[in-house]
Structure formats: C-alpha cells, structure tokens
Amino acid sequence: MKHEPKVAVIMGSDSDFPVVKKCMLMLKKFGISVDVRVMSAHRTPDAVACYAKAAQESGVDVIIAAAGKAAHLAGVLAAYTTLPVIGIPMKSSTLDGLDSLLSVVQMPKGIPVATVAVDGAENAGILAVQMLALKYEQLRPLLAQFKADMAAEVEAKDQALSKEVAAL
Ligand code: RP5
C-alpha cells in the first residue's frame, strides 16, 4: 500500500477546536489526511503516551498539538516519539496565552517542539505541509502556488488601496 501523508492534530480540550479547526482546514486544502483527537497531558496522560508511542507505526508523519494554560501536551507527545511535533499555544482566558506560549516554547534541550504563534493554527498547518514536502514531492508545487496566490492577493490589495488614495 502506498504511504500517504498523514498529520495528527491533537488538542487538550474540545474548547480549543474553533481555533484548531483552521489548522485542520489548511491541511485538508493540501489534501493531507488528518487524525483529529482530544487528549490531555494532565487529564488523560496515559492516552497521550500511548498515542505518541504508536503514531509513527500508524503512518503519522507529523504531530500538531494545541493546548492552553500550563500547556504540556506538545512537550509530552514529543517526549514519547521521534516524529516532529509542532505546538500551537492557545490564547487562554486569564493570561491571554502568554502562559501557553511559554509552556510550549520553553522546552528543555533534547526534546524540541516547533512552536507557532499564540492561536497560530494556520501556520502550524502550513509548517506541517512544508515538513511533509521533504518526503512527498507532490506537495512542493502546491506550496509554491499557495505562496504565489498570497502574493497576488497582497498586490491586488495594494492596487485597490492606491486607487482609493488617489481619489482622495
Ligand atoms: C487546556 O486547558 C486545553 O488545551 C484548553 O486550552 C484549556 C482549557 O480547557 P477546558 O477547561 O476548556 O477543557 O488543557
């Protein structure tokens, strides 16, 4: 059976899903198969450990983990696997996500977590696709097109604004 690119997107709580959904949609845009799960480093630690240990064997290439507050999910997953782990620090209700950001990014040496911005769900998806493109060549032109589309959008906005300014 031909191996297809696969990403695990794990969140600490279903309350994270409205933000995490943007990551999932980004991955789907590139045709990536996504395993979306709720698991908590604190509330279901055994499930997190089991998932991380089995991930590579079950065809997962990259793990994305979103969590808020004392956000240990990405770090704990990374402790149990050699797959690359991308962490999304969630904007929390009390400290605006600074707590989550520091918990995800400040990993001790030896266990890295590639951390995106607070609530940076889309970038987590894009970064995962860029990692996958090292192995799955068919993703490379799609990433190039994605960048070209973004540039065209900015150029269109620049032209529209120039017209608006000229008319003042
Ligand atoms: C974290 O605590 C979750 O990732 C979430 O961001 C935060 C709040 O979780 P709930 O209390 O809404 O379940 O573990």
Side-chain angles (χ1 to χ4, degrees):
M1 198 179 75
K2 197 169 164 254
H3 188 45
E4 295 295 335
K6 184 175 170 186
V7 173
V9 178
I10 306 180
M11 67 208 89
S13 169
D14 60 349
S15 63
D16 299 323
F17 190 58
V19 170
V20 174
K21 192 176 177 185
K22 295 176 196 164
C23 168
M24 204 194 81
L25 294 175
M26 181 62 76
L27 291 162
K28 286 200 171 290
K29 189 192 274 211
F30 286 92
I32 309 294
S33 124
V34 190
D35 186 28
V36 183
R37 304 288 301 271
V38 176
M39 273 180 224
S40 162
H42 306 117
R43 294 165 177 159
T44 61
D46 289 341
V48 171
C50 281
Y51 189 91
K53 285 179 193 173
Q56 188 154 28
E57 200 55 39
S58 62
V60 171
D61 294 291
V62 177
I63 298 178
I64 296 175
K69 301 192 172 189
H72 299 137
L73 182 60
V76 171
L77 285 159
Y80 286 108
T81 181
T82 55
L83 291 173
V85 176
I86 301 171
I88 308 173
M90 299 300 302
K91 183 169 177 171
S92 51
S93 50
T94 44
L95 295 174
D96 262 359
L98 184 59
D99 45 355
S100 320
L101 174 63
L102 296 178
S103 302
V104 179
V105 79
Q106 286 287 58
M107 288 297 293
K109 77 174 173 233
I111 309 291
V113 167
T115 308
V116 296
V118 172
D119 281 358
E122 292 97 335
N123 270 3
I126 297 164
L127 184 56
V129 178
Q130 289 176 330
M131 289 173 177
L132 290 166
L134 295 169
K135 181 174 170 187
Y136 303 98
E137 286 185 23
Q138 72 271 23
L139 294 172
R140 295 177 198 171
L142 301 183
L143 280 164
Q145 188 59 51
F146 178 76
K147 270 198 192 293
D149 290 347
M150 244 186 336
E153 233 174 82
V154 173
E155 279 157 19
K157 284 178 185 172
D158 180 48
Q159 281 172 16
L161 190 68
S162 295
K163 274 189 198 154
E164 202 177 318
V165 169
L168 290 177

